[in-house]
Amino acid sequence: MKRKKLGELLQDRGHISGDNLQKLFKEQQTKMVRLGELILETGLVDKGSLIKAIEDVSHVTYVDCSLVRSTVEAIAMIPKSVALRLDILPICMDQSRLVVAMSEPQNIGTIDEVRFISGKDLSARFGFHAEIQAAISRNYEQAENSTKATKAPGEAASEEEQTIEFISTSARQANRDAIQEIQAELTKRKTPAVRIVSDIIQQAILKHASDIHVEPQVSCTVIRIRVDGVLRELDTVPLNIQNSLISRLKILADMDIGERRAPQDGRFMVAVGGNRVDMRVSTLPTQYGEKVVIRLLEATAPVSSLGSLGLPPTLAARLLQSLAQPQGMLLITGPTGSGKSTTIYSALNLLRKPSVNVVTVEDPVEYALAGVNQVQVNVRAGLTFAGCLRSILRQDPNVIMIGEIRDLETAEIAMKAAQTGHMVLSTLHTNDSVSAVARLLDLGIPEYLIASSVSAILAQRLVRKLCVCHGLKDVSKAYAERLTAAGWSNPPSQISWPKGCPVCDYTGYKGRIGIYELLTIDEQIRAILRGSYQPELVQAAARAGGMRKMQEDALEKLQAGITTLDEIIRVVPMEVLADRVFEHCGQRLSALYRFCPYCGMSREAEDQCASSAANFAERMGVLT
């Protein structure tokens, strides 16, 4: 049987029309680029479907090079000039084979040349040209910095090798002078505490950590970092320099180093390799000394497309419909660290344009977004969320973003703004989309105001993605039962499983992806809200309208081999995952539902029918 080409496969799967495919063929001849790259550039097919088709055609696994952190060992095997010329990225060693990402993984000439240069057999992965080129520049630069950082402790570092710069965010001249002094000490490499601070921050940035924890213990000070939402130990510091280390961090953050009995907050910035990172510092007195936590924030907003965040195409389309409305409110809910800020900034990026006035009020401003007017709350100066909102409404805004709805006054002003011709975006801390309505009611917002103001509620979580090193594992009987309980009716014989390699620091996971649940407030749900609010009725109406729970989205990503069941259970309660099939209509529903939104039968009636059928069968068995 003749193997289908990429264009034919995409057309057969309904991702692209024949006319568009012919246009792409003509454009490909003039640009001399690969068809997959051209389709990605034009956006005619979403990236996920395109990757799946390329994998099916080439039988080579795709790797997202923007998430790859190559090992120094792999980088050393291929010169940078060769990597750029051949469009390949060395990733890591897999036993005796060199794992590489290639834009043309079936090019025998390229494979032979790389095999000759490295002296190793290759394990090829597929990657897009632009992603590979950007990853080559980033990883070779990081490898050079890592080589410099691993020099012997007694070896002095020259000013040319210095890659980190501390930047003051304080208006006080004393803090600026102190930072300049620390920078001079770091250049000379004389003070251990300053050198350790620099090394910790550099390693945290290199590993893409979101937080650094400095925790005094009875025998030493433990340094931990949070990577992909999970804490891991980075290093330990001797007790004799614990106070010096914490004092240096407090000086950088413009804190009172003499005050050790009360919590303090501060901030500073660092520049590493041309990349600026905002460091939000918090101290807390503990039994063995002050505990310091540093939140690392990129200076620029993490602007991503909805597809790259992990939103399924149908859900992303519904979300875009809500954002395209001239007025209304979009609420994004989830616990701390669930990716709400990234989602809301990506939504703002879609909305911003020269003809639209976008104003935000945040505490604090996390990322700088060009073309957006961002206001930072300052409670001490009397600048609260509610006060800012009143002023913003007199600034002729089209789109308003509120960092978080925390009280009744802020919620009321936001609701009224959404009714008077403004698009309002904000966040709430709730477990799911339906719970957001209950949270607004608890704040004191009446049902009719929620019904007329809120357009959609997006609930989300973040789960870790499997690293490129993952493999397949046979499914045991016990694990198959767990998969069935989670909603996977026919578990496979094998499933993707984490292994661990230098790329992922031997954790088996690299990067995160969102799981989502979108509640669109339609007329049926508005009618329910204007009456007496009942969560089960809202859930039933939403499910009847096509809402998919985040647990179902997570299960799809599990089936696609993106993550694991253990990782899903870490962020989503197992009891909520377990669904049940109604025999009357054949639909799978959560155990939370009292009524089936498809056939209207109550769960009690279904149970009575099942019980009667069982009794009848038992009687028939006895008679026969």
Side-chain angles (χ1 to χ4, degrees):
M1 181 178 178
K2 182 181 177 182
R3 191 162 65 181
K4 291 186 178 181
K5 296 182 179 180
L6 177 61
E8 296 172 342
L9 188 62
L10 289 171
Q11 187 176 0
D12 290 348
R13 293 179 177 180
H15 296 308
I16 193 169
S17 65
D19 292 339
N20 285 335
L21 189 59
Q22 292 302 320
K23 291 178 182 178
L24 286 174
F25 286 149
K26 293 180 181 178
E27 188 175 353
Q28 185 185 14
Q29 293 175 356
T30 59
K31 289 189 174 182
M32 297 299 293
V33 295
R34 286 176 288 277
L35 181 62
E37 302 279 358
L38 188 58
I39 293 174
L40 182 67
E41 178 184 337
T42 56
L44 290 174
V45 179
D46 67 273
K47 187 176 179 181
S49 301
L50 176 61
I51 290 170
K52 183 67 170 63
I54 293 175
E55 288 181 334
D56 291 344
V57 169
S58 65
H59 302 290
V60 179
T61 304
Y62 167 78
V63 57
D64 188 351
C65 293
S66 63
L67 302 177
V68 169
R69 297 294 173 266
S70 301
T71 63
V72 177
E73 180 186 10
I75 291 291
M77 292 184 182
I78 306 296
K80 184 177 181 179
S81 59
V82 175
L84 291 170
R85 177 172 58 85
L86 298 179
D87 208 19
I88 65 164
L89 174 69
I91 298 176
C92 64
M93 288 298 299
D94 182 11
Q95 297 178 352
S96 62
R97 297 187 301 171
L98 175 63
V99 180
V100 296
M102 308 173 61
S103 59
E104 292 184 286
Q106 295 173 318
N107 190 321
I108 303 301
T110 301
I111 291 175
D112 288 342
E113 186 172 349
V114 176
R115 186 185 291 124
F116 175 78
I117 293 172
S118 64
K120 301 288 184 180
D121 288 332
L122 300 186
S123 178
R125 306 286 190 270
F126 165 74
F128 292 110
H129 169 73
E131 295 175 351
I132 290 177
Q133 291 292 315
I136 290 172
S137 300
R138 184 182 68 253
N139 281 280
Y140 275 83
E141 181 181 352
Q142 289 173 352
E144 292 173 3
N145 295 337
S146 177
T147 302
K148 294 173 184 177
T150 55
K151 288 189 175 183
E155 186 177 351
S158 66
E159 292 186 8
E160 290 75 21
E161 292 175 336
Q162 182 61 42
T163 59
I164 185 169
E165 178 187 359
F166 296 108
I167 304 169
S168 174
T169 58
S170 173
R172 295 193 317 118
Q173 186 61 40
N175 179 254
R176 297 181 181 180
D177 294 340
I179 285 189
Q180 287 181 2
E181 183 180 344
I182 289 174
Q183 193 72 49
E185 290 180 8
L186 181 60
T187 303
K188 297 174 184 176
R189 310 291 283 186
K190 286 185 177 180
T191 308
V194 175
R195 187 177 69 249
I196 290 173
V197 168
S198 171
D199 291 343
I200 290 171
I201 292 174
Q202 283 182 306
Q203 289 187 60
I205 293 174
L206 186 65
K207 296 178 183 293
H208 293 267
S210 61
D211 300 88
I212 302 172
H213 290 240
V214 182
E215 302 176 339
Q217 303 292 336
V218 64
S219 59
C220 64
T221 297
V222 178
I223 311 297
R224 297 197 293 171
I225 58 175
R226 188 178 296 278
V227 181
D228 293 334
V230 179
L231 276 172
R232 66 175 72 160
E233 189 169 318
L234 179 68
D235 203 353
T236 56
V237 176
L239 283 177
N240 61 342
I241 60 172
Q242 170 185 308
N243 291 335
S244 298
L245 171 64
I246 294 174
S247 295
R248 290 297 182 183
L249 288 171
K250 292 173 72 173
I251 290 171
L252 289 168
D254 197 20
M255 297 180 183
D256 182 1
I257 61 172
E259 178 58 74
R260 299 183 179 180
R261 298 170 297 175
Q264 296 186 66
D265 294 307
R267 60 179 289 229
F268 63 96
M269 294 188 73
V270 298
V272 180
N275 183 31
R276 286 197 171 194
V277 181
D278 195 0
M279 319 292 284
R280 307 292 172 92
V281 185
S282 171
T283 66
L284 181 70
T286 66
Q287 182 180 3
Y288 300 111
E290 288 181 285
K291 181 183 188 298
V292 181
V293 174
I294 307 173
R295 169 64 61 89
L296 283 68
L297 296 171
E298 296 285 343
T300 55
V303 175
S304 306
S305 65
L306 298 181
S308 64
L309 293 177
L311 277 89
T314 54
L315 191 149
R318 293 175 62 190
L319 183 61
L320 286 173
Q321 288 179 358
S322 298
L323 290 173
Q325 295 179 10
Q327 66 184 55
M329 175 179 282
L330 169 65
L331 289 174
I332 300 176
T333 74
T336 301
S338 59
K340 299 189 297 296
S341 295
T342 301
T343 303
I344 206 166
Y345 273 98
S346 298
L348 285 176
N349 184 56
L350 293 172
L351 294 171
R352 63 171 181 162
K353 59 184 69 172
S355 60
V356 176
N357 180 21
V358 182
V359 187
T360 75
V361 51
E362 307 169 62
D363 183 23
V365 173
E366 294 191 23
Y367 307 103
L369 193 61
V372 175
N373 305 286
Q374 297 174 272
V375 181
Q376 180 159 321
V377 168
N378 189 341
V379 179
R380 292 182 181 178
L383 195 62
T384 62
F385 273 109
C388 285
L389 276 175
R390 290 192 187 91
S391 299
I392 286 172
L393 290 175
R394 295 190 289 270
Q395 292 287 313
D396 187 30
N398 299 107
V399 178
I400 301 171
M401 191 275 273
I402 308 167
E404 181 185 350
I405 293 180
R406 299 177 179 176
D407 52 46
L408 174 60
E409 188 178 13
T410 304
E412 283 182 337
I413 299 172
M415 293 284 178
K416 291 175 182 177
Q419 285 184 313
T420 56
H422 305 90
M423 171 56 67
V424 180
L425 286 75
S426 189
T427 67
L428 276 176
H429 291 284
T430 61
N431 290 330
D432 54 31
S433 56
V434 177
S435 300
V437 178
R439 171 65 176 150
L440 292 173
L441 292 172
D442 291 340
L443 286 174
I445 304 297
E447 289 91 339
Y448 74 88
L449 193 56
I450 299 173
S452 59
S453 303
V454 180
S455 303
I457 303 172
L458 179 71
Q460 65 180 72
R461 296 288 192 281
L462 289 177
V463 294
R464 291 183 294 171
K465 296 194 297 184
L466 287 168
C467 178
V468 293
C469 65
H470 74 270
L472 293 176
K473 178 183 177 181
D474 291 335
V475 176
S476 64
K477 182 178 180 182
Y479 197 78
E481 292 175 353
R482 291 182 64 195
L483 292 173
T484 303
W488 198 336
S489 55
N490 295 309
S493 59
Q494 289 187 318
I495 196 167
S496 298
W497 199 258
K499 284 186 176 180
C501 68
V503 175
C504 59
D505 278 350
Y506 298 97
T507 62
Y509 298 92
K510 189 67 176 177
R512 289 188 290 179
I513 193 169
I515 54 175
Y516 300 92
E517 169 184 304
L518 181 64
L519 171 63
T520 303
I521 309 298
D522 55 20
E523 289 304 321
Q524 184 177 0
I525 295 177
R526 286 193 176 95
I528 296 172
L529 292 177
R530 290 190 181 102
S532 178
Y533 170 69
Q534 298 181 43
E536 62 274 10
L537 293 181
V538 174
Q539 282 192 354
R543 294 284 280 182
M547 185 187 83
R548 296 171 64 258
K549 296 172 63 179
M550 71 174 74
Q551 291 81 10
E552 295 175 82
D553 188 24
L555 188 61
E556 281 193 4
K557 291 178 170 64
L558 173 65
Q559 293 173 337
I562 297 173
T563 187
T564 61
L565 179 61
D566 292 335
E567 180 62 17
I568 293 172
I569 294 174
R570 186 179 66 85
V571 297
V572 180
M574 181 66 181
E575 305 81 52
V576 184
L577 281 171
D579 286 355
R580 164 185 157 180
V581 175
F582 262 60
E583 294 183 4
H584 187 260
C585 61
Q587 296 292 335
R588 180 177 293 276
L589 299 175
S590 166
L592 297 174
Y593 289 98
R594 292 176 56 193
F595 294 88
C596 175
Y598 299 96
C599 64
M601 179 174 284
S602 68
R603 189 172 294 277
E604 291 79 4
E606 172 81 6
D607 292 338
Q608 290 176 3
C609 290
S611 176
S612 300
N615 292 335
F616 178 76
E618 184 178 356
R619 290 197 305 271
M620 291 299 292
V622 171
L623 292 173
T624 55

